[in-house]
Coordinates of all heavy atoms in Angstrom, one line a residue:
M89 N 141.4 133.8 94.2 CA 141.0 133.0 95.3 C 139.5 133.0 95.5 O 138.9 131.9 95.7 CB 141.8 133.5 96.5 CG 141.5 132.9 97.8 SD 142.4 131.4 98.0 CE 142.2 131.1 99.6
E90 N 138.9 134.2 95.5 CA 137.5 134.2 95.7 C 136.8 133.5 94.6 O 135.8 132.9 94.8 CB 137.0 135.7 95.7 CG 137.1 136.3 97.1 CD 136.6 137.8 97.0 OE1 135.6 138.0 96.4 OE2 137.2 138.6 97.7
Q91 N 137.3 133.7 93.4 CA 136.6 133.0 92.2 C 136.7 131.5 92.4 O 135.7 130.8 92.1 CB 137.3 133.5 90.9 CG 136.6 133.1 89.7 CD 135.2 133.6 89.6 OE1 134.9 134.7 90.0 NE2 134.2 132.8 89.2
E92 N 137.8 131.0 92.9 CA 137.9 129.6 93.1 C 136.9 129.1 94.1 O 136.3 128.0 94.0 CB 139.3 129.2 93.5 CG 140.4 129.2 92.5 CD 141.7 128.9 93.0 OE1 141.8 128.0 93.9 OE2 142.7 129.5 92.5
I93 N 136.7 129.8 95.2 CA 135.8 129.5 96.2 C 134.4 129.5 95.7 O 133.6 128.6 95.9 CB 135.9 130.4 97.4 CG1 137.3 130.2 98.1 CG2 134.8 130.2 98.4 CD1 137.6 131.2 99.3
L94 N 134.0 130.5 94.9 CA 132.7 130.6 94.3 C 132.5 129.5 93.3 O 131.4 128.8 93.3 CB 132.6 131.9 93.5 CG 132.2 133.1 94.4 CD1 132.2 134.4 93.5 CD2 130.9 133.0 95.1
N95 N 133.5 129.1 92.5 CA 133.4 128.0 91.6 C 133.2 126.7 92.4 O 132.4 125.9 91.9 CB 134.7 127.9 90.7 CG 134.7 129.0 89.7 OD1 133.7 129.6 89.3 ND2 135.9 129.2 89.2
T96 N 133.9 126.5 93.5 CA 133.7 125.3 94.3 C 132.3 125.2 94.9 O 131.6 124.2 94.8 CB 134.8 125.3 95.4 OG1 136.1 125.3 94.8 CG2 134.6 124.0 96.2
V97 N 131.8 126.4 95.3 CA 130.5 126.4 95.9 C 129.4 126.1 94.8 O 128.5 125.3 95.0 CB 130.2 127.8 96.5 CG1 128.7 128.0 96.9 CG2 131.0 128.0 97.8
F98 N 129.6 126.7 93.6 CA 128.7 126.4 92.5 C 128.7 125.0 92.1 O 127.7 124.4 91.8 CB 128.9 127.3 91.3 CG 128.6 128.8 91.5 CD1 129.4 129.8 91.0 CD2 127.5 129.1 92.2 CE1 129.1 131.1 91.2 CE2 127.1 130.5 92.4 CZ 127.9 131.5 91.9
E99 N 129.9 124.4 92.1 CA 130.1 123.0 91.7 C 129.4 122.1 92.8 O 128.7 121.1 92.4 CB 131.6 122.6 91.6 CG 131.8 121.2 91.2 CD 131.3 120.8 89.8 OE1 131.1 121.7 89.0 OE2 131.0 119.6 89.6
V100 N 129.6 122.4 94.0 CA 129.0 121.6 95.1 C 127.4 121.7 95.0 O 126.7 120.7 95.2 CB 129.5 122.0 96.5 CG1 128.7 121.4 97.6 CG2 130.9 121.6 96.6
E101 N 127.0 122.9 94.7 CA 125.5 123.2 94.6 C 125.0 122.4 93.4 O 123.9 121.8 93.6 CB 125.2 124.6 94.5 CG 123.7 125.0 94.4 CD 123.5 126.4 94.1 OE1 124.4 127.3 93.9 OE2 122.3 126.8 94.1
R102 N 125.7 122.4 92.4 CA 125.2 121.6 91.2 C 125.2 120.1 91.5 O 124.2 119.4 91.1 CB 126.2 121.9 90.0 CG 125.7 121.2 88.7 CD 126.7 121.3 87.6 NE 128.1 120.7 87.9 CZ 128.3 119.4 88.0 NH1 127.3 118.5 87.7 NH2 129.5 118.9 88.3
E103 N 126.2 119.6 92.2 CA 126.2 118.2 92.6 C 125.0 117.9 93.5 O 124.4 116.8 93.4 CB 127.5 117.8 93.3 CG 128.7 117.8 92.3 CD 130.0 117.6 93.0 OE1 130.0 117.3 94.2 OE2 131.1 117.7 92.3
I104 N 124.8 118.8 94.4 CA 123.6 118.6 95.3 C 122.3 118.5 94.6 O 121.5 117.7 94.8 CB 123.6 119.6 96.5 CG1 124.8 119.4 97.4 CG2 122.3 119.6 97.2 CD1 125.0 120.5 98.4
R105 N 122.2 119.5 93.6 CA 121.0 119.5 92.8 C 120.8 118.2 92.0 O 119.7 117.6 91.9 CB 120.9 120.7 91.9 CG 120.7 122.0 92.6 CD 120.7 123.2 91.6 NE 120.7 124.4 92.2 CZ 119.7 125.1 92.5 NH1 118.5 124.7 92.3 NH2 119.8 126.3 93.2
E106 N 121.9 117.7 91.5 CA 121.9 116.5 90.7 C 121.5 115.3 91.6 O 120.7 114.4 91.2 CB 123.2 116.2 90.0 CG 123.5 117.1 88.8 CD 124.9 117.0 88.3 OE1 125.7 116.1 88.8 OE2 125.2 117.6 87.3
M107 N 122.0 115.3 92.8 CA 121.7 114.2 93.7 C 120.3 114.2 94.2 O 119.6 113.2 94.3 CB 122.7 114.3 95.0 CG 124.1 113.9 94.7 SD 125.3 114.3 96.0 CE 124.5 113.8 97.5
V108 N 119.8 115.4 94.4 CA 118.4 115.6 94.8 C 117.4 115.1 93.6 O 116.5 114.4 93.8 CB 118.1 117.0 95.2 CG1 116.6 117.3 95.3 CG2 118.8 117.4 96.5
A109 N 117.8 115.5 92.4 CA 117.0 115.1 91.2 C 117.0 113.6 91.1 O 116.0 113.0 90.8 CB 117.5 115.8 90.0
A110 N 118.2 113.0 91.2 CA 118.3 111.5 91.1 C 117.5 110.8 92.2 O 116.8 109.8 91.9 CB 119.8 111.1 91.2
E111 N 117.5 111.4 93.4 CA 116.8 110.8 94.5 C 115.3 110.9 94.2 O 114.5 110.0 94.5 CB 117.2 111.4 95.8 CG 116.6 110.8 97.0 CD 117.0 109.3 97.3 OE1 118.1 108.9 96.7 OE2 116.2 108.6 97.9
Q112 N 114.9 112.1 93.7 CA 113.5 112.3 93.4 C 113.0 111.3 92.3 O 111.9 110.7 92.4 CB 113.2 113.7 92.9 CG 111.8 114.1 92.6 CD 111.0 114.1 93.8 OE1 111.3 114.7 94.8 NE2 109.8 113.4 93.8
Q113 N 113.8 111.1 91.3 CA 113.5 110.1 90.2 C 113.3 108.7 90.8 O 112.4 107.9 90.5 CB 114.5 110.1 89.1 CG 114.4 111.3 88.2 CD 115.4 111.2 87.1 OE1 116.5 110.6 87.3 NE2 115.1 112.0 86.0
R114 N 114.3 108.3 91.7 CA 114.2 107.0 92.3 C 113.0 106.9 93.2 O 112.3 105.9 93.1 CB 115.5 106.8 93.1 CG 115.6 105.4 93.7 CD 116.7 105.2 94.7 NE 116.5 105.9 95.9 CZ 115.6 105.6 96.9 NH1 114.9 104.5 96.8 NH2 115.5 106.3 98.0
T115 N 112.7 107.9 94.0 CA 111.5 107.9 94.8 C 110.2 107.8 94.0 O 109.3 107.1 94.3 CB 111.5 109.1 95.7 OG1 112.7 109.2 96.5 CG2 110.4 109.1 96.7
D116 N 110.2 108.6 92.9 CA 109.0 108.5 92.0 C 108.8 107.1 91.5 O 107.6 106.7 91.4 CB 109.1 109.6 90.9 CG 109.0 111.0 91.3 OD1 108.6 111.2 92.5 OD2 109.4 111.9 90.6
G117 N 109.9 106.5 91.1 CA 109.8 105.1 90.5 C 109.3 104.2 91.6 O 108.5 103.3 91.3
D118 N 109.9 104.3 92.8 CA 109.5 103.4 93.9 C 108.0 103.6 94.2 O 107.2 102.7 94.5 CB 110.3 103.7 95.2 CG 111.7 103.2 95.1 OD1 112.0 102.5 94.1 OD2 112.5 103.6 95.9
L119 N 107.6 104.9 94.3 CA 106.1 105.2 94.5 C 105.2 104.6 93.4 O 104.2 104.0 93.8 CB 105.9 106.7 94.6 CG 104.5 107.2 95.0 CD1 104.1 106.6 96.3 CD2 104.5 108.7 95.0
A120 N 105.6 104.7 92.2 CA 104.8 104.2 91.1 C 104.7 102.6 91.3 O 103.7 102.1 91.1 CB 105.4 104.5 89.8
A121 N 105.8 102.0 91.6 CA 105.8 100.5 91.8 C 104.9 100.1 92.9 O 104.2 99.2 92.8 CB 107.2 100.0 92.0
L122 N 105.0 100.9 94.0 CA 104.2 100.6 95.1 C 102.7 100.8 94.8 O 101.9 100.0 95.3 CB 104.6 101.5 96.3 CG 103.9 101.3 97.7 CD1 104.1 99.9 98.1 CD2 104.3 102.3 98.7
R123 N 102.4 101.8 94.1 CA 101.0 102.0 93.7 C 100.5 100.9 92.8 O 99.3 100.4 93.0 CB 100.9 103.4 92.9 CG 100.9 104.6 93.8 CD 100.6 105.8 93.0 NE 100.6 107.0 93.9 CZ 101.0 108.2 93.6 NH1 101.4 108.5 92.3 NH2 100.9 109.2 94.5
R124 N 101.3 100.4 91.9 CA 100.9 99.3 91.0 C 100.7 98.0 91.9 O 99.7 97.3 91.7 CB 102.0 99.0 90.0 CG 101.9 99.9 88.8 CD 102.9 99.5 87.7 NE 104.3 99.3 88.1 CZ 105.2 100.2 88.1 NH1 104.9 101.4 87.7 NH2 106.4 100.0 88.5
E125 N 101.6 97.8 92.8 CA 101.5 96.6 93.7 C 100.2 96.7 94.6 O 99.5 95.7 94.7 CB 102.7 96.6 94.7 CG 102.7 95.4 95.6 CD 104.0 95.3 96.5 OE1 104.9 96.0 96.2 OE2 103.9 94.6 97.4
C126 N 99.9 97.9 95.1 CA 98.7 98.0 95.9 C 97.5 97.8 95.0 O 96.5 97.2 95.5 CB 98.6 99.4 96.5 SG 99.8 99.6 97.9
A127 N 97.5 98.3 93.8 CA 96.3 98.1 92.9 C 96.2 96.7 92.6 O 95.0 96.1 92.6 CB 96.6 98.9 91.6
D128 N 97.3 96.0 92.3 CA 97.2 94.5 92.1 C 96.7 93.7 93.3 O 95.8 92.9 93.1 CB 98.6 94.0 91.7 CG 99.1 94.5 90.3 OD1 98.2 95.0 89.6 OD2 100.3 94.3 90.1
L129 N 97.1 94.1 94.5 CA 96.7 93.4 95.7 C 95.2 93.7 95.9 O 94.4 92.8 96.3 CB 97.5 93.9 96.9 CG 98.9 93.4 97.0 CD1 99.6 94.1 98.2 CD2 98.9 91.9 97.3
A130 N 94.7 94.9 95.7 CA 93.3 95.3 95.9 C 92.5 94.5 94.8 O 91.4 94.0 95.2 CB 93.1 96.8 95.7
A131 N 92.9 94.4 93.6 CA 92.2 93.7 92.6 C 92.1 92.2 93.0 O 91.0 91.6 92.8 CB 92.8 93.8 91.2
G132 N 93.2 91.6 93.4 CA 93.2 90.2 93.8 C 92.3 90.0 95.0 O 91.5 89.0 95.1
E133 N 92.3 90.9 96.0 CA 91.4 90.7 97.2 C 90.0 90.9 96.8 O 89.1 90.2 97.3 CB 91.8 91.8 98.2 CG 91.0 91.7 99.5 CD 91.3 90.4 100.3 OE1 92.3 89.7 100.0 OE2 90.6 90.1 101.2
E134 N 89.7 91.8 95.8 CA 88.3 92.0 95.4 C 87.8 90.7 94.7 O 86.7 90.3 94.9 CB 88.2 93.2 94.4 CG 86.8 93.4 93.9 CD 86.7 94.6 93.0 OE1 87.8 95.3 92.7 OE2 85.6 94.9 92.6
A135 N 88.7 90.1 93.8 CA 88.3 88.9 93.2 C 88.1 87.8 94.2 O 87.1 87.0 94.1 CB 89.4 88.5 92.2
R136 N 88.9 87.7 95.2 CA 88.7 86.7 96.2 C 87.4 86.8 97.0 O 86.7 85.9 97.2 CB 89.9 86.7 97.2 CG 89.9 85.6 98.2 CD 90.9 85.7 99.3 NE 90.6 86.9 100.2 CZ 89.7 86.9 101.2 NH1 88.9 85.8 101.4 NH2 89.5 87.9 101.9
L137 N 87.1 88.1 97.3 CA 85.9 88.4 98.0 C 84.6 88.1 97.1 O 83.6 87.6 97.7 CB 85.8 89.8 98.5 CG 86.8 90.1 99.7 CD1 86.8 91.6 100.0 CD2 86.5 89.3 100.9
R138 N 84.7 88.4 95.9 CA 83.6 88.1 95.0 C 83.4 86.6 94.9 O 82.2 86.1 94.9 CB 83.9 88.6 93.6 CG 83.7 90.1 93.5 CD 83.9 90.6 92.1 NE 84.0 92.1 92.0 CZ 82.9 92.9 92.0 NH1 81.7 92.3 92.0 NH2 83.0 94.1 91.9
E139 N 84.5 85.8 94.8 CA 84.4 84.3 94.8 C 83.8 83.8 96.1 O 82.9 82.9 96.1 CB 85.7 83.7 94.6 CG 86.3 83.9 93.2 CD 87.7 83.4 93.0 OE1 88.2 82.8 94.0 OE2 88.3 83.6 91.9
E140 N 84.2 84.4 97.2 CA 83.7 84.0 98.5 C 82.2 84.3 98.6 O 81.4 83.5 99.1 CB 84.5 84.7 99.6 CG 84.2 84.2 101.0 CD 85.1 84.9 102.0 OE1 86.3 84.8 101.8 OE2 84.6 85.5 103.0
L141 N 81.8 85.5 98.2 CA 80.4 85.8 98.2 C 79.6 84.9 97.3 O 78.5 84.4 97.7 CB 80.2 87.3 97.6 CG 78.8 87.8 97.5 CD1 78.1 87.8 98.9 CD2 78.8 89.2 96.9
A142 N 80.1 84.6 96.1 CA 79.3 83.7 95.2 C 79.2 82.3 95.9 O 78.2 81.6 95.8 CB 80.1 83.6 93.9
A143 N 80.3 81.8 96.5 CA 80.2 80.5 97.2 C 79.2 80.6 98.4 O 78.4 79.6 98.6 CB 81.6 80.1 97.8
G144 N 79.1 81.7 99.1 CA 78.2 81.8 100.2 C 76.8 81.8 99.6 O 75.9 81.2 100.2
V145 N 76.5 82.5 98.6 CA 75.2 82.6 98.0 C 74.8 81.2 97.5 O 73.7 80.7 97.7 CB 75.2 83.6 96.8 CG1 73.9 83.4 96.0 CG2 75.3 85.0 97.4
A146 N 75.8 80.5 96.9 CA 75.5 79.2 96.4 C 75.2 78.2 97.5 O 74.3 77.3 97.4 CB 76.7 78.6 95.6
A147 N 75.9 78.4 98.6 CA 75.7 77.5 99.8 C 74.3 77.7 100.4 O 73.5 76.8 100.7 CB 76.7 77.8 100.9
V148 N 73.8 79.0 100.4 CA 72.5 79.3 100.9 C 71.5 78.7 99.9 O 70.5 78.1 100.3 CB 72.3 80.8 101.0 CG1 70.9 81.2 101.2 CG2 73.2 81.3 102.2
E149 N 71.7 78.9 98.6 CA 70.8 78.4 97.6 C 70.6 76.8 97.7 O 69.6 76.3 97.4 CB 71.2 78.8 96.2 CG 71.0 80.3 96.0 CD 71.5 80.8 94.7 OE1 72.2 80.1 94.0 OE2 71.3 82.0 94.4
T150 N 71.7 76.2 98.0 CA 71.7 74.7 98.0 C 71.2 74.2 99.3 O 71.1 73.0 99.5 CB 73.0 74.1 97.7 OG1 74.0 74.5 98.6 CG2 73.5 74.6 96.3
G151 N 71.1 75.0 100.3 CA 70.7 74.5 101.7 C 71.8 74.1 102.5 O 71.6 73.6 103.7
E152 N 73.1 74.3 102.0 CA 74.2 73.9 102.8 C 74.3 74.7 104.1 O 74.6 74.1 105.2 CB 75.5 74.0 102.0 CG 76.8 73.7 102.7 CD 76.8 72.2 103.0 OE1 76.1 71.3 102.5 OE2 77.7 71.8 103.9
A153 N 74.0 75.9 104.0 CA 74.1 76.8 105.2 C 73.1 76.3 106.2 O 73.4 76.3 107.4 CB 73.9 78.3 104.8
R154 N 71.9 76.0 105.8 CA 70.9 75.5 106.7 C 71.3 74.2 107.4 O 71.2 74.0 108.6 CB 69.6 75.3 105.9 CG 68.4 74.9 106.7 CD 68.1 75.8 107.8 NE 67.0 75.4 108.6 CZ 66.4 76.0 109.5 NH1 66.8 77.2 109.8 NH2 65.4 75.5 110.2
R155 N 72.0 73.3 106.6 CA 72.4 72.1 107.2 C 73.5 72.3 108.2 O 73.5 71.7 109.3 CB 73.0 71.2 106.1 CG 73.4 69.8 106.6 CD 74.3 69.0 105.6 NE 75.6 69.7 105.4 CZ 76.6 69.6 106.3 NH1 76.4 69.1 107.4 NH2 77.7 70.2 106.0
Q156 N 74.4 73.3 107.9 CA 75.5 73.6 108.8 C 74.9 74.2 110.1 O 75.3 73.9 111.2 CB 76.5 74.5 108.2 CG 77.3 73.8 107.2 CD 78.3 74.9 106.5 OE1 78.2 76.0 106.7 NE2 79.1 74.3 105.6
A157 N 73.9 75.1 110.0 CA 73.3 75.7 111.1 C 72.6 74.6 112.0 O 72.6 74.6 113.2 CB 72.3 76.8 110.7
D158 N 71.8 73.7 111.3 CA 71.1 72.7 112.1 C 72.2 71.8 112.8 O 71.9 71.4 114.0 CB 70.3 71.8 111.1 CG 69.1 72.5 110.6 OD1 68.7 73.5 111.2 OD2 68.5 72.1 109.5
A159 N 73.3 71.5 112.2 CA 74.3 70.7 112.9 C 74.9 71.4 114.1 O 75.1 70.8 115.1 CB 75.4 70.3 111.9
A160 N 75.1 72.7 113.9 CA 75.6 73.5 115.0 C 74.6 73.5 116.2 O 75.0 73.4 117.4 CB 76.0 74.9 114.6
V161 N 73.4 73.7 115.9 CA 72.3 73.7 116.9 C 72.2 72.4 117.6 O 72.1 72.3 118.9 CB 70.9 74.1 116.3 CG1 69.8 73.9 117.3 CG2 71.0 75.6 115.9
T162 N 72.3 71.3 116.8 CA 72.2 69.9 117.4 C 73.4 69.7 118.4 O 73.2 69.2 119.5 CB 72.2 68.9 116.3 OG1 71.0 69.1 115.5 CG2 72.1 67.5 116.9
E163 N 74.6 70.1 118.0 CA 75.7 69.9 118.8 C 75.6 70.8 120.1 O 75.9 70.3 121.2 CB 77.0 70.3 118.0 CG 78.3 70.1 118.8 CD 79.5 70.6 118.0 OE1 79.5 70.5 116.8 OE2 80.5 70.9 118.6
A164 N 75.2 72.0 120.0 CA 75.0 72.8 121.1 C 74.0 72.2 122.1 O 74.1 72.3 123.3 CB 74.6 74.3 120.7
E165 N 72.9 71.8 121.6 CA 71.8 71.1 122.4 C 72.4 69.9 123.2 O 72.1 69.7 124.3 CB 70.6 70.8 121.6 CG 69.8 72.0 121.2 CD 68.7 71.6 120.2 OE1 68.7 70.5 119.6 OE2 67.8 72.4 120.0
A166 N 73.2 69.1 122.4 CA 73.8 67.9 123.1 C 74.7 68.3 124.2 O 74.7 67.7 125.3 CB 74.5 67.1 122.0
R167 N 75.5 69.3 123.9 CA 76.5 69.8 124.9 C 75.7 70.4 126.2 O 76.1 70.1 127.3 CB 77.4 70.8 124.4 CG 78.5 71.2 125.3 CD 79.5 72.1 124.8 NE 80.4 72.6 125.8 CZ 81.6 72.9 125.7 NH1 82.2 72.7 124.5 NH2 82.3 73.3 126.7
A168 N 74.7 71.1 125.9 CA 73.9 71.7 127.0 C 73.3 70.6 127.8 O 73.2 70.6 129.0 CB 72.8 72.6 126.4
G169 N 72.8 69.5 127.1 CA 72.2 68.4 127.8 C 73.3 67.7 128.8 O 73.0 67.4 129.9
R170 N 74.5 67.5 128.2 CA 75.5 66.9 129.0 C 75.9 67.8 130.2 O 76.0 67.3 131.3 CB 76.8 66.6 128.2 CG 76.6 65.5 127.2 CD 78.0 65.2 126.5 NE 78.6 66.3 125.9 CZ 78.5 66.6 124.6 NH1 77.6 66.0 123.9 NH2 79.2 67.6 124.1
L171 N 75.9 69.1 130.0 CA 76.3 70.0 131.1 C 75.1 70.0 132.2 O 75.4 70.1 133.4 CB 76.6 71.4 130.6 CG 77.9 71.6 129.8 CD1 78.0 73.0 129.2 CD2 79.1 71.2 130.6
A172 N 73.9 70.0 131.7 CA 72.8 70.0 132.6 C 72.7 68.7 133.5 O 72.3 68.8 134.6 CB 71.5 70.1 131.8
G173 N 73.3 67.6 133.0 CA 73.3 66.4 133.7 C 74.4 66.3 134.8 O 74.5 65.4 135.6
L174 N 75.3 67.3 134.8 CA 76.4 67.3 135.8 C 75.8 67.6 137.2 O 75.0 68.5 137.3 CB 77.5 68.3 135.5 CG 78.2 68.0 134.2 CD1 79.2 69.1 133.9 CD2 79.0 66.6 134.3
G175 N 76.2 66.9 138.2 CA 75.7 67.2 139.5 C 76.3 68.5 140.1 O 77.4 69.0 139.7
D176 N 75.5 69.1 141.1 CA 75.9 70.3 141.7 C 77.2 70.2 142.5 O 78.1 71.1 142.5 CB 74.8 70.8 142.7 CG 73.6 71.3 142.0 OD1 73.7 71.6 140.8 OD2 72.5 71.4 142.6
D177 N 77.5 69.0 143.1 CA 78.7 68.8 143.8 C 79.9 68.8 142.9 O 80.9 69.4 143.2 CB 78.7 67.4 144.5 CG 77.7 67.4 145.6 OD1 77.3 68.5 146.1 OD2 77.3 66.2 146.0
L178 N 79.8 68.2 141.7 CA 80.9 68.2 140.7 C 81.2 69.7 140.2 O 82.3 70.1 140.2 CB 80.6 67.4 139.5 CG 81.6 67.2 138.4 CD1 82.9 66.7 139.0 CD2 81.1 66.4 137.3
L179 N 80.1 70.4 139.9 CA 80.3 71.8 139.5 C 80.8 72.6 140.5 O 81.7 73.5 140.3 CB 78.9 72.3 139.0 CG 78.3 71.7 137.8 CD1 76.9 72.3 137.5 CD2 79.2 72.0 136.6
A180 N 80.4 72.5 141.8 CA 81.0 73.3 142.9 C 82.5 73.0 143.0 O 83.3 73.9 143.3 CB 80.2 72.9 144.2
G181 N 82.8 71.7 142.9 CA 84.2 71.4 143.0 C 85.1 72.1 141.9 O 86.2 72.6 142.2
W182 N 84.6 72.1 140.7 CA 85.2 72.8 139.6 C 85.4 74.3 139.9 O 86.4 74.9 139.6 CB 84.5 72.6 138.3 CG 84.7 71.2 137.7 CD1 85.6 70.3 138.0 CD2 84.0 70.7 136.6 NE1 85.5 69.2 137.3 CE2 84.5 69.4 136.3 CE3 83.0 71.1 135.8 CZ2 84.1 68.6 135.3 CZ3 82.5 70.3 134.7 CH2 83.1 69.1 134.5
V183 N 84.3 74.9 140.4 CA 84.4 76.3 140.7 C 85.4 76.5 141.8 O 86.2 77.5 141.7 CB 83.0 76.8 141.2 CG1 83.0 78.2 141.8 CG2 82.0 76.8 140.0
H184 N 85.4 75.8 142.9 CA 86.4 75.9 143.9 C 87.8 75.8 143.4 O 88.7 76.5 143.8 CB 86.1 75.0 145.1 CG 84.9 75.4 145.9 ND1 84.9 76.5 146.7 CD2 83.7 74.8 146.0 CE1 83.7 76.6 147.3 NE2 82.9 75.5 146.9
Q185 N 88.0 74.8 142.6 CA 89.3 74.6 142.0 C 89.8 75.8 141.1 O 90.9 76.2 141.2 CB 89.4 73.3 141.1 CG 90.7 73.0 140.6 CD 90.7 71.6 139.8 OE1 89.7 71.0 139.8 NE2 91.8 71.3 139.2
G186 N 88.8 76.3 140.3 CA 89.1 77.5 139.6 C 89.5 78.7 140.4 O 90.4 79.5 140.1
I187 N 88.7 78.8 141.5 CA 89.0 80.0 142.4 C 90.4 79.8 143.0 O 91.1 80.8 143.1 CB 87.9 80.0 143.5 CG1 86.6 80.5 142.9 CG2 88.4 81.0 144.6 CD1 85.4 80.5 143.8
R188 N 90.8 78.6 143.3 CA 92.1 78.4 143.9 C 93.2 78.8 142.9 O 94.3 79.2 143.3 CB 92.3 76.9 144.3 CG 91.7 76.7 145.7 CD 92.0 75.2 146.2 NE 90.8 74.6 146.7 CZ 90.2 73.6 146.2 NH1 90.7 73.0 145.2 NH2 89.1 73.2 146.8
T189 N 93.0 78.6 141.6 CA 94.1 78.9 140.7 C 94.1 80.4 140.5 O 95.1 81.0 140.2 CB 93.8 78.2 139.3 OG1 92.5 78.7 138.8 CG2 93.8 76.8 139.4
I190 N 93.0 81.1 140.7 CA 92.9 82.6 140.5 C 93.5 83.3 141.7 O 94.2 84.2 141.7 CB 91.5 83.0 140.2 CG1 91.1 82.5 138.9 CG2 91.4 84.6 140.2 CD1 89.6 82.7 138.5
L191 N 93.0 82.8 142.9 CA 93.4 83.4 144.2 C 94.3 82.4 145.0 O 93.9 81.4 145.5 CB 92.2 83.6 145.1 CG 91.0 84.5 144.5 CD1 89.8 84.5 145.3 CD2 91.6 85.9 144.3
P192 N 95.6 82.7 144.9 CA 96.6 81.8 145.5 C 96.4 81.4 147.0 O 96.7 80.4 147.4 CB 97.9 82.5 145.3 CG 97.7 83.6 144.4 CD 96.2 83.9 144.4
G193 N 95.9 82.3 147.8 CA 95.7 82.1 149.2 C 94.5 81.2 149.5 O 94.2 80.8 150.7
E194 N 93.7 80.9 148.6 CA 92.4 80.2 148.9 C 92.6 78.7 148.9 O 93.4 78.1 148.2 CB 91.4 80.5 147.8 CG 90.9 81.9 147.8 CD 90.2 82.3 149.0 OE1 89.3 81.6 149.5 OE2 90.5 83.4 149.5

């Protein structure tokens, strides 16, 4: 009887060891696949950033960046001019309306 119990315990222990070993192998494989995937993603992102850098350098070299900056400044100046032309009464009305939406009792 004792021998049967010991044999059963040893058998269960062996099964557990086999299950742990199989799980370890599966986990090792998953980890290796994840490492490969991360390395591939990193390489792809590095290549994309290199291309983006090269395009930025080319834009600067061709003056495209300067043209874009000039256009942005021109647009900002035009908008500032339009806002400067608004009357004080109109601006005060907008401020009061904004305050009413923030403070319900106003």
Side-chain angles (χ1 to χ4, degrees):
M89 174 84 164
E90 274 184 40
Q91 189 60 37
E92 284 181 35
I93 293 173
L94 282 175
N95 286 340
T96 302
V97 168
F98 289 141
E99 181 62 26
V100 169
E101 182 182 6
R102 184 188 59 75
E103 289 174 7
I104 291 172
R105 287 180 193 269
E106 288 174 359
M107 289 171 41
V108 168
E111 186 64 23
Q112 183 65 48
Q113 285 180 335
R114 187 189 66 77
T115 304
D116 289 346
D118 290 349
L119 182 58
L122 184 58
R123 283 183 177 151
R124 283 189 304 273
E125 183 180 344
C126 287
D128 291 345
L129 287 172
E133 185 66 12
E134 182 180 0
R136 186 189 67 77
L137 289 173
R138 286 184 189 277
E139 289 173 6
E140 191 175 302
L141 176 62
V145 168
V148 168
E149 290 174 350
T150 62
E152 179 65 19
R154 180 63 181 185
R155 187 197 62 75
Q156 290 176 356
D158 288 342
V161 167
T162 301
E163 182 181 334
E165 287 173 343
R167 184 175 175 147
R170 288 191 304 271
L171 291 175
L174 296 177
D176 289 343
D177 292 338
L178 181 61
L179 292 174
W182 284 350
V183 169
H184 287 292
Q185 184 178 354
I187 289 174
R188 278 189 225 114
T189 60
I190 295 170
L191 302 173
E194 295 294 316

